[in-house]
Amino acid sequence: MKPRSLEEECGVARRVSCAPGNDPFSVPRAIDSRRQAQFELLFAAFLPFFLFILIITAFTYGQLLWWPLPWLIALLSVDLLLTGNWPTKPQDELGARDWIPLFLALSVAGAAVFIGLWSGQVLQPWIAVEKFPERADVEPTDKGAAYLDAGILHFAEGSQVDVDSSVGFEVWPIVYCAAPIFDAQGSTSDSTDVTVTPTKVAFWAIGHNCCDSRGGFHCGDSTDLSVRSAIHAMHQQGDQRFELAIKKAAADNELVVGDHPIMVFWEKDPAGVAEKALMYSAIIVGSASLVALILSAIMMTVLKRA
């Protein structure tokens, strides 16, 4: 029996689809391949964007839940970016262009960590005001260790910032300013004897770019003699630049830094400052995310044309 030809097998109506070289299943396979390519394109373009938002949000707000959480998220994100962008070509075929996606992805992660840390610093006054106790009738002669957990400090009547005894320690382009806080009798020490010239200073008002190298301190509301409130600058405790400014101010004015010096932002309205800090941090996160989205869209356009 003579075997039937391809045309006879498929029929005249299916002649085109069954012609040699035309697989009936090639169309759905082509559609699947196209969908997979589109998915890979979206994945490559927008994965860094989503991880950027995740990292920057974690460093800004995740610290409220658990302080290691932002770094854990950053490490997992970097691992995912390395896995997804590592070149798959054989070693002898790799060129400089093959490393560009990996370089860009890691740059996005690094930028997210940097901006997240910055945004987290901006948020710190809000954290101090909202998450830590408020203390009243604080005397400049009190021991600093008694207020390590305070968020807002309301100083006793007569307490002032000694703006003329301030010092600015410059680490270009920022000047780190510090000034001692004294009471109505002119005492700045943590000694209870106000009749003796004080030597130990427990409380220090601080700020950035708001003083001269000597004197001229105008950080916050320090020049308003009616202000008695301050926000504990917890996130600046241990900052060597502020510590050097404090040590310089103490040396220039024949003072001694207390055992547990408390750095504060001298503010008339701590709650208002906290709300502004929350708003500014949200603006930073939102603006950076918008820029990242635009760059991701540009990246997708470039990859489509490649």
Side-chain angles (χ1 to χ4, degrees):
M1 181 178 180
K2 182 180 179 181
R4 288 182 294 183
S5 66
L6 179 64
E7 292 182 0
E8 292 173 337
E9 183 72 30
C10 296
V12 177
R14 300 178 58 194
R15 185 176 301 170
V16 175
S17 63
C18 293
N22 286 330
D23 183 0
F25 299 100
S26 62
V27 174
R29 288 173 182 171
I31 294 175
D32 290 341
S33 299
R34 194 178 303 115
R35 288 177 179 174
Q36 182 178 358
Q38 291 175 346
F39 174 78
E40 292 176 352
L41 179 64
L42 290 172
F43 183 83
F46 287 99
L47 176 63
F49 164 69
F50 288 115
L51 292 181
F52 179 89
I53 294 179
L54 180 62
I55 293 173
I56 194 175
T57 302
F59 275 94
T60 303
Y61 307 109
Q63 57 183 310
L64 298 173
L65 302 176
W66 186 43
W67 71 265
L69 179 63
W71 292 107
L72 179 61
I73 290 176
L75 289 175
L76 292 176
S77 299
V78 169
D79 181 67
L80 183 58
L81 290 171
L82 285 172
T83 303
N85 293 278
W86 195 268
T88 56
K89 289 183 179 179
Q91 190 70 27
D92 56 348
E93 297 180 11
L94 286 176
R97 295 181 60 182
D98 298 314
W99 296 97
I100 291 178
L102 179 61
F103 172 77
L104 292 176
L106 294 180
S107 297
V108 167
V113 171
F114 176 80
I115 297 174
L117 288 171
W118 172 37
S119 181
Q121 288 289 309
V122 171
L123 186 66
Q124 288 300 319
W126 181 85
I127 295 176
V129 170
E130 296 295 330
K131 303 300 180 181
F132 291 89
E134 189 171 352
R135 303 291 293 274
D137 298 323
V138 179
E139 295 283 353
T141 54
D142 290 343
K143 298 286 186 180
Y147 300 94
L148 292 175
D149 64 341
I152 300 178
L153 293 88
H154 296 284
F155 284 83
E157 188 70 24
S159 302
Q160 296 178 1
V161 177
D162 189 353
V163 296
D164 295 325
S165 298
S166 67
V167 161
F169 179 76
E170 184 173 3
V171 180
W172 190 88
I174 299 175
V175 178
Y176 296 84
C177 305
I181 298 172
F182 62 87
D183 63 14
Q185 288 76 30
S187 174
T188 56
S189 73
D190 54 9
S191 169
T192 56
D193 185 2
V194 296
T195 62
V196 179
T197 302
T199 55
K200 272 194 174 183
V201 182
F203 299 92
W204 296 82
I206 63 170
H208 298 96
N209 299 324
C210 48
C211 66
D212 301 326
S213 58
R214 297 289 187 279
F217 189 90
H218 57 276
C219 306
D221 295 311
S222 57
T223 57
D224 188 342
L225 299 181
S226 66
V227 176
R228 301 284 179 270
S229 55
I231 300 174
H232 188 180
M234 295 179 175
H235 60 297
Q236 301 294 355
Q237 298 290 156
D239 189 319
Q240 293 184 352
R241 294 158 296 191
F242 275 119
E243 289 182 348
L244 288 173
I246 289 173
K247 289 178 180 178
K248 284 184 64 178
D252 288 354
N253 297 281
E254 298 183 353
L255 302 170
V256 176
V257 181
D259 295 333
H260 298 281
I262 301 296
M263 302 181 194
V264 300
F265 299 119
W266 200 257
E267 299 289 349
K268 183 177 183 178
D269 181 17
V273 172
E275 290 300 321
K276 287 182 180 179
L278 180 62
M279 180 183 66
Y280 291 153
S281 66
I283 290 175
I284 292 172
V285 172
S287 300
S289 300
L290 179 60
V291 172
L293 178 61
I294 294 173
L295 292 177
S296 296
I298 294 174
M299 176 65 69
M300 186 175 69
T301 302
V302 172
L303 291 174
K304 277 185 177 181
R305 295 179 178 178

